Amino acid sequence: EDQVTQSPEALRLQEGESSSLNCSYTVSGLRGLFWYRQDPGKGPEFLFTLYSAGEEKEKERLKATLTKKESFLHITAPKPEDSATYLCAVEGNAGNMLTFGGGTRLMVKP
Amino acid sequence: GAVVSQHPSWVICKSGTSVKIECRSLDFQATTMFWYRQFPKQSLMLMATSNEGSKATYEQGVEKDKFLINHASLTLSTLTVTSAHPEDSSFYICSARAEGAAYNEQFFGPGTRLTVL
């Protein structure tokens, strides 16, 4: 059974204070690891897909990296508008579905 | 691109009534659509997977007779909550996977807030 664990559950940062969110996973043959951003009362917004260890992707202040056991979402000089819940999910060889972690709720104070 | 819409965005109904939620892929064809349920401050829980033209596959513990799913076209899937009760109140989110996508990159709708009185 695929499993995804995200840490921390909640993270408070000051504006400009860089940090990283962790996503640890166990999966039977990783087909893809996905990062989403979710604002309160809205559906998840797609951010990145990572397919293999060593891969990195960037978008504005966000950078996602992947190893064989975990992924990090690095946030550089965050702004208040980066406040949201960040979700990590994996797809394994077992089936055509995503397994989600519990999410990290990020709060950036001005 | 890759926009998914849901309708309605919120609905309030009386206990015992049925509610239909629509999920549409606006600018791509989706062979597979997924329905999730999310409780406050919790992550997404997959309810069922629907493929165009075939019966939906429900996750363990999800009542197929209560949550009816229809995927009649490559751009539309519907979830009907039958005989709704207060415990069915939740945030329902659909997602769609593009036709021909090699990997399970899902694009999500904005969600529907269901409140059953």
Side-chain angles (χ1 to χ4, degrees):
Chain A
E1 183 179 337
D2 300 344
Q3 290 189 333
V4 179
T5 303
Q6 290 186 246
S7 61
E9 289 186 8
L11 179 62
R12 293 174 183 259
L13 299 174
Q14 287 295 131
E15 184 172 3
E17 179 186 1
S18 301
S19 188
S20 296
L21 282 54
N22 177 266
C23 171
S24 298
Y25 65 91
T26 55
V27 64
S28 56
L30 180 70
R31 288 171 55 85
L33 183 140
F34 307 85
W35 282 99
Y36 291 88
R37 168 191 170 130
Q38 186 176 26
D39 292 299
K42 296 188 178 180
E45 173 190 348
F46 172 76
L47 293 175
F48 303 109
T49 307
L50 301 168
Y51 298 110
S52 59
E55 190 174 1
E56 299 182 353
K57 287 192 177 175
E58 288 188 65
K59 179 181 179 180
E60 296 180 353
R61 295 179 291 282
L62 300 176
K63 178 180 178 180
T65 62
L66 181 65
T67 72
K68 290 186 178 180
K69 294 183 179 180
E70 57 191 351
S71 175
F72 290 94
L73 185 65
H74 306 279
I75 302 178
T76 302
K79 298 181 178 181
E81 52 262 42
D82 294 322
S83 297
T85 295
Y86 291 85
L87 298 169
C88 171
V90 297
E91 181 193 10
N93 286 333
N96 185 28
M97 57 178 281
L98 295 180
T99 300
F100 278 87
T104 293
R105 188 157 50 95
L106 174 65
M107 293 155 281
V108 182
K109 292 190 174 183
Chain B
V3 178
V4 177
S5 70
Q6 275 184 248
H7 178 79
S9 55
W10 59 270
V11 57
I12 301 173
C13 69
K14 292 182 178 180
S15 185
T17 61
S18 295
V19 174
K20 180 184 283 188
I21 302 170
E22 290 187 350
C23 176
R24 293 181 185 273
S25 56
L26 298 184
D27 52 0
F28 67 100
Q29 293 187 321
T31 47
T32 307
M33 288 184 169
F34 304 83
W35 287 95
Y36 295 84
R37 186 171 179 175
Q38 187 175 34
F39 291 104
K41 295 188 177 181
Q42 293 188 24
S43 193
L44 282 71
M45 182 186 76
L46 179 66
M47 298 175 65
T49 302
S50 75
N51 292 290
E52 185 264 339
S54 62
K55 291 183 178 181
T57 302
Y58 290 81
E59 295 302 301
Q60 193 171 11
V62 178
E63 300 176 58
K64 61 179 67 177
D65 293 332
K66 182 168 187 62
F67 297 100
L68 301 179
I69 291 172
N70 183 276
H71 193 160
S73 75
L74 286 173
T75 60
L76 173 64
S77 176
T78 59
L79 167 68
T80 301
V81 183
T82 62
S83 186
H85 291 284
E87 56 266 30
D88 298 324
S89 299
S90 188
F91 192 51
Y92 292 87
I93 310 174
C94 73
S95 71
R97 177 180 176 179
E99 184 180 33
Y103 297 95
N104 199 1
E105 198 166 271
Q106 298 180 23
F107 299 95
F108 287 81
T112 297
R113 172 81 52 197
L114 171 64
T115 302
V116 185
L117 302 177

